[in-house]
Amino acid sequence: MELNYVSTRNRADQKTASEAILQGLAPDGGLYVPTEIPKLDVPMAKLGEMTYQEVAYEVMSRFFTDFTEEELKHCINSAYDSKFDTTEIAPLVAAGDAYYLELFHGKTIAFKDMALSILPYLMITSARKNQIKNDIVILTATSGDTGKAALAGFADVPGTKIIVFYPKDGVSDIQKRQMVTQKGDNTFVVGINGNFDQAQTGVKKMFNDAEMKNDLDAAGFQFSSANSINIGRLIPQVVYYVFAYARLLNSGEIEEGQKINVTVPTGNFGNILAAYYAKNMGVPIDRLICASNKNNVLTDFFASGTYDRRRDFYLTMSPSMDILISSNLERLINLILDGDDKKTAEEMKKLAEEGSYSIPKEILDQKIADFYGGFASEEETAAEIKAVYEDCGYVIDTHTAVASAVYKKYVDKTGDKTSTVIASTASPYKFTRSVMQAIGQDRPELSDLELTDVLSEVANTEIPAAIVEIRDAEVRHKTICEVDEMPKVVREILNI
Ligand SMILES: *Cc1c(COP(=O)(O)O)cnc(C)c1O
């Protein structure tokens, strides 16, 4: 069966999967969503015997119906190969009374690799299918991890260029070093004097700039997005929730049909939305626990139905979650509103112009009672890293710790003892300073990179290749600009 995609703000704008992947953001500013969420018609027990790549094919082939089997398998096998440091791709680690789904075994040791290692292949295949002659210019705003993962995915891929904007003072030292040392003649990295939301808004503006689009076209370029708004990012993330459930079943940790909860450290709402898609495909997931840091706009939304971005913005030790506008939430809003594009567009206009919108509480309770929002303060996050380390000898990163802390608060509050999978979104080696401070082993005299040696001893794990590589790498990208100079910088890079 053919599955099509429509914009959340205009259902008349129908696209095939490959068209939606190429387009990224819809012309009306909306996000592409499937007209329905397909059912997973393969028994869980059977999925439990499959490799990650095989499960990926079962899931993605239900969504990307205009890809041939050969095309899709080529994309999957090119993405999930020895770039990952474990053949399992996404291992589950039992610690305490939860299962940590480690999504950080790819090239940049954070979960964005799960989708960004396949996106370039999906995009090139989509371009070929749609007779695109232009070079594709990936334009991305990053809160730290997307940038490097996208750069690593697209570096030296023929027919593409990639331009990444990051908040100059809003990413960790290691994140910054990973980006500014990126190799590849088609890669460009630019720091902005602003925060992530400003970078993201600047990128969205360029996507909607008709004059820029014409100039690009004349020069043989077109924009596409690697941000989590691209449907080609979202769908590959559904895979690991299916995989995790199937593995738990296969290893006898749960029984056929038994429900699990998932807890996801959330920023732009892509990862947890993927879990919701998995649930709607038929994976027995009961509650989706949406964990935020001190920037707890989503916690308030799930409690009250009001999304209000007019609030202070905090820089925290989990920078990839320092977000006030969770773009992917628009897809959930559209689902809650039964696909009503006019209403979705209205609410998003309110968000842009007035800074907030509200969904009536009855609708919230009726449609998404399975979501639970919670948040962890900086102190709670640090205490959780320490507690998990002391209780289990397992070192988790700051983002995972937010989820882990919120999960424990949830259990305390509700008494719900359902088996729980916690999405572990980054390696502790990526946020070494905060992690070592939390477990009381900070060594201020050492640099962040030097501190990874100490972490290696403490955690009794090997330093990942991603860290070893950047230690002596040359800094190749030095451009810094103001927020309103972003279009100018892009024009300079592309010579238009
Ligand atoms: C991006 C990111 C998140 C947030 O994921 P979303 O899909 O944006 O909600 C959480 N943790 C880490 C380490 C990340 O890189």
Side-chain angles (χ1 to χ4, degrees):
M1 201 190 68
E2 209 51 39
L3 182 66
N4 281 323
Y5 290 78
V6 291
S7 163
T8 47
R9 302 187 194 178
N10 176 12
R11 285 189 85 81
D13 176 20
Q14 283 240 1
K15 293 271 187 295
T16 62
S18 65
E19 288 167 344
I21 289 169
L22 274 178
Q23 184 85 42
L25 193 67
D28 52 53
L31 279 58
Y32 287 110
V33 288
T35 50
E36 65 182 290
I37 295 178
K39 289 282 170 260
L40 194 59
D41 45 10
V42 188
M44 259 315 153
K46 198 165 163 209
L47 290 164
E49 286 162 10
M50 293 184 187
T51 62
Y52 190 88
Q53 294 81 351
E54 287 164 345
V55 173
Y57 178 74
E58 294 303 328
V59 173
M60 289 193 223
S61 60
R62 303 301 188 280
F63 282 97
F64 300 150
T65 54
D66 67 329
F67 284 65
T68 65
E69 178 172 345
E70 193 191 346
E71 285 169 343
L72 200 50
K73 285 191 170 161
H74 170 72
C75 292
I76 290 168
N77 294 330
S78 307
Y80 305 110
D81 60 6
S82 57
K83 286 192 281 303
F84 285 76
D85 65 13
T86 158
T87 51
E88 266 211 281
I89 308 295
L92 272 170
V93 173
D97 55 5
Y99 301 95
Y100 291 82
L101 177 61
E102 293 189 347
L103 304 172
F104 55 76
H105 289 274
K107 260 204 117 48
T108 74
I109 58 176
F111 101 97
K112 301 213 170 43
D113 290 327
M114 301 305 294
L116 281 165
S117 51
I118 192 167
L119 185 68
Y121 297 99
L122 294 174
M123 222 169 238
I124 298 166
T125 309
S126 297
R128 207 181 295 134
K129 295 177 81 65
N130 289 280
Q131 287 88 42
I132 299 293
K133 304 272 182 325
N134 285 341
D135 274 13
I136 293 185
V137 179
I138 301 295
L139 201 57
T140 289
T142 184
S143 55
D145 289 330
T146 305
K148 176 63 189 185
L151 287 162
F154 281 93
D156 288 328
V157 173
T160 69
K161 289 191 194 304
I162 172 161
I163 306 173
V164 171
F165 290 96
Y166 70 94
K168 183 169 79 54
D169 300 315
V171 300
S172 80
D173 274 356
I174 289 180
Q175 286 177 317
K176 185 182 286 185
R177 231 192 123 67
Q178 280 189 312
M179 288 193 278
V180 298
T181 57
Q182 177 65 47
K183 297 199 179 79
D185 291 338
N186 64 338
T187 63
F188 304 89
V189 180
V190 183
I192 66 156
N193 284 313
N195 63 32
F196 169 69
D197 284 322
Q198 290 170 309
Q200 178 155 268
T201 305
V203 163
K204 278 190 182 172
K205 270 197 196 138
M206 282 189 264
F207 274 110
N208 294 328
D209 182 337
E211 191 189 329
M212 195 152 188
K213 185 167 187 229
N214 285 339
D215 294 349
L216 281 169
D217 200 44
F221 294 118
Q222 70 185 62
F223 281 147
S224 196
S225 162
N227 269 25
S228 61
I229 50 180
N230 194 310
I231 195 71
R233 283 273 308 273
L234 187 62
I235 302 306
Q237 298 182 169
V238 179
V239 173
Y240 46 76
Y241 291 105
V242 177
F243 180 72
Y245 187 92
R247 275 297 146 101
L248 286 175
L249 181 65
N250 188 256
S251 59
E253 300 285 333
I254 55 173
E255 287 166 18
E256 182 106 43
Q258 186 180 331
K259 288 198 169 175
I260 62 166
N261 288 342
V262 299
T263 306
V264 184
T266 298
N268 227 352
F269 208 74
N271 200 1
I272 193 163
L273 186 69
Y276 190 59
Y277 274 32
K279 175 177 169 127
N280 283 281
M281 287 189 93
V283 178
I285 292 171
D286 189 22
R287 304 206 79 178
L288 299 117
I289 299 164
C290 174
S292 300
N293 64 23
K294 196 176 174 191
N295 296 293
N296 57 357
V297 59
L298 285 165
T299 312
D300 291 349
F301 171 71
F302 284 113
S304 69
T306 296
Y307 192 95
D308 193 343
R309 68 170 167 83
R310 294 165 302 180
R311 56 176 72 216
D312 290 338
F313 176 80
Y314 302 105
L315 293 177
T316 72
M317 68 174 100
S318 46
S320 302
M321 298 160 69
D322 291 343
I323 286 175
L324 292 183
I325 304 173
S326 296
S327 301
N328 265 297
L329 188 65
E330 178 168 345
R331 289 190 163 111
L332 183 69
I333 300 298
N334 185 259
L335 265 177
I336 301 174
L337 298 173
D338 294 322
D340 187 334
D341 49 357
K342 300 283 164 308
K343 192 99 180 59
T344 307
E346 260 169 46
E347 302 298 0
M348 293 306 129
K349 192 159 173 256
K350 274 191 215 153
L351 179 64
E353 290 174 2
E354 294 158 33
S356 84
Y357 62 88
S358 293
I359 302 292
K361 192 79 171 63
E362 316 85 75
I363 300 194
L364 214 61
D365 289 345
Q366 183 197 341
K367 298 275 182 182
I368 48 167
D370 36 11
F371 277 89
Y372 174 93
F375 77 100
S377 67
E378 293 289 271
E379 295 73 27
E380 288 169 329
T381 305
E384 182 64 12
I385 294 174
K386 188 163 196 268
V388 174
Y389 172 62
E390 284 174 356
D391 296 348
C392 317
Y394 183 53
V395 181
I396 57 176
D397 100 291
T398 48
H399 302 75
T400 309
V402 169
S404 194
V406 168
Y407 160 66
K408 285 181 189 161
K409 282 165 76 168
Y410 167 81
V411 174
D412 282 346
K413 197 164 169 189
T414 61
D416 181 0
K417 293 277 170 59
T418 305
S419 296
T420 294
V421 168
I422 295 174
S424 180
T425 51
S427 158
Y429 286 93
K430 199 154 189 174
F431 301 94
T432 316
R433 178 72 58 191
S434 303
V435 168
M436 294 301 273
Q437 274 168 356
I439 56 181
Q441 303 252 16
D442 192 20
R443 300 267 298 276
E445 76 282 11
L446 300 181
S447 73
D448 284 12
L449 279 172
E450 287 163 345
L451 197 59
T452 56
D453 286 322
V454 188
L455 173 57
S456 177
E457 282 164 33
V458 169
N460 198 17
T461 53
E462 254 178 65
I463 300 178
I467 295 292
V468 176
E469 273 169 21
I470 59 167
R471 284 190 165 193
D472 312 307
E474 169 208 358
V475 173
R476 299 185 65 243
H477 305 275
K478 294 177 185 158
T479 311
I480 302 289
C481 77
E482 300 303 321
V483 174
D484 57 10
E485 290 173 336
M486 290 168 64
K488 188 174 131 240
V489 170
V490 169
R491 284 178 179 274
E492 279 167 11
I493 289 171
L494 299 176
N495 250 324
I496 60 167

